[in-house]
Each structure stands twice: as structure tokens, then as C-alpha cells.
Amino acid sequence: MKKAVIITFDQFTDIDVFLPWDLLNRVKLIDKEFQVKLLGTTYSHVSVSGIDLKTHGFIEEANEADFVFFASGPGTRDVIKDKTYLGRFQLNPEKQIIASMCSGALIIAALGHLKGLSATTYPTAFEALRNYEVEVIEDTHLVTHESIGTAAGCLAAVDLIAWAITKMYDKKISDAVTASVLPIGQGQACMYPQNNLANG
């Protein structure tokens, strides 16, 4: 049984949690045993826009997940300064897929998993990411290294999650998930007319 977790915190960017959440849950229509959980440091976290999001567990659960996804938002600047918070993660890139949206890359960097690598993030976090000895790629929305992926720009989550699904499963499942959310004429209507992932 495979499991994906989304790491949330106070002041997370809404779309950078909810879009990956939606995309990953579409995998469950193919693999019914696939689990997707929202993790945090408390029973709920409040987004930038004020949504109070209930979590399914605590961040330590990420240490045993197949895929660990770090959300973004102003809250990243607080958690990267919290050594106790960072110490609760014991991630292993050799056994896990680790990814981030926008400033979520700062958390991966603070955990030491981006040192000496290239990565991307939201422009407002470029300089902060460089402080972790990371080569910041400013002109692309997706940078991947083996089992570590970073993306920039909220809608880049589609490509980032597709990359992660391909690594967990295969490109066929990844393509089906992506096609199910593309605009009509670009995805499900022409490529997957019988796609059971469509829920419109």
C-alpha cells in the first residue's frame, strides 16, 4: 500500500494544498489502497485566506510515507527557523519521493536535502533558497533530481504531481490523472473519453 502526505502549517497557500490533494486523490480511483493524508503539528492549520483545515495526523507520519509533499506560503519562513519542528522529520530520499511547491522548497533545503543541488521556488524565495547552498533555477517551473522535485507557480503542481505519480506507479496512471483535469479539448474529451477519473 502506497501513501502520500501533504505537509501543512499555519499560513499555507490554499491552492498549493488543495490542488495536489485533489490530484493525488484521483489516484485512489485506480488504486483503492492508496492513501493521501494532510499532516501538520496540530489538529488544524489556517490558510492564508482563512480556511481552517483539519489534519489527519502529525508530521512524524511523513517519515514512513512513499511521497512527501511540502506546501508553500508565508508560514514556511516560520517553520524553517524552528529546529524542533525540523527535527521531527527523518526523511530518506533514497526510499522516499520528496517534493515541494514554491517556498516549500525552503523546508526541504532546511532539512538538508537540497544542498549542492539545483531547485526552483517562487521568486520571493529565490535569495532565501540560495542561502542553503542551492543553485536556484529561475526560468523553469519544475526541477527534479532522482527522488526530489521542486516546482514554482501554483499551477506547476499538475506537472509536479504527475512526476511523483509516475515514480510511484507509471506514466499511464500519471497521464490519466493529468488528462482528467485539463481543459476540454486538451485532455479528457479527446484523449480519455471514458476516463473514470473525470468527476465533473
Side-chain angles (χ1 to χ4, degrees), residues 4-181:
V5 298
I6 297 173
I7 308 300
T8 65
F9 36 80
D10 286 330
Q11 290 294 290
F12 67 85
T13 299
D14 299 61
I15 192 172
D16 290 343
V17 167
F18 297 125
L19 180 53
W21 167 259
D22 181 285
L23 293 168
L24 288 168
N25 271 281
R26 291 171 187 250
V27 176
K28 292 168 67 174
L29 297 174
I30 298 172
D31 177 3
K32 297 188 183 303
E33 293 188 348
F34 183 59
Q35 289 188 351
V36 187
K37 290 189 174 184
L38 299 166
L39 305 181
T41 56
T42 185
Y43 295 106
S44 68
H45 286 291
V46 180
S47 75
V48 170
S49 70
I51 292 177
D52 192 355
L53 180 69
K54 292 182 179 180
T55 57
H56 302 128
F58 297 109
I59 56 177
E60 285 83 357
E61 195 171 339
N63 299 328
E64 304 300 326
D66 297 282
F67 175 41
V68 181
F69 175 89
F70 289 94
S72 73
T76 58
R77 277 67 165 187
D78 294 323
V79 298
I80 62 173
K81 299 174 185 176
D82 187 338
K83 292 183 179 180
T84 300
Y85 175 86
L86 297 174
R88 294 169 68 176
F89 290 101
Q90 300 296 323
L91 305 182
N92 185 348
E94 294 185 2
K95 298 180 179 180
Q96 297 173 288
I97 302 165
I98 304 169
S100 65
M101 274 304 307
C102 296
S103 65
L106 295 175
I107 306 176
I108 300 179
L111 292 171
H113 297 304
L114 288 179
K115 188 174 182 178
L117 297 179
S118 59
T120 190
T121 187
Y122 203 69
T124 55
F126 282 166
E127 291 308 314
L129 189 56
R130 288 192 179 96
N131 290 335
Y132 288 98
E133 299 180 41
V134 178
E135 178 189 357
V136 177
I137 308 299
E138 299 184 7
D139 59 354
T140 188
H141 72 289
L142 180 65
V143 177
T144 62
H145 295 279
E146 298 293 334
S147 62
I148 298 178
T150 56
C154 300
L155 297 184
V158 176
D159 289 344
L160 178 63
I161 297 302
W163 167 80
I165 293 172
T166 298
K167 293 190 72 66
M168 283 188 286
Y169 292 94
D170 55 44
K171 195 171 186 301
K172 182 178 180 181
I173 292 177
S174 174
D175 285 348
V177 169
T178 300
S180 72
V181 298

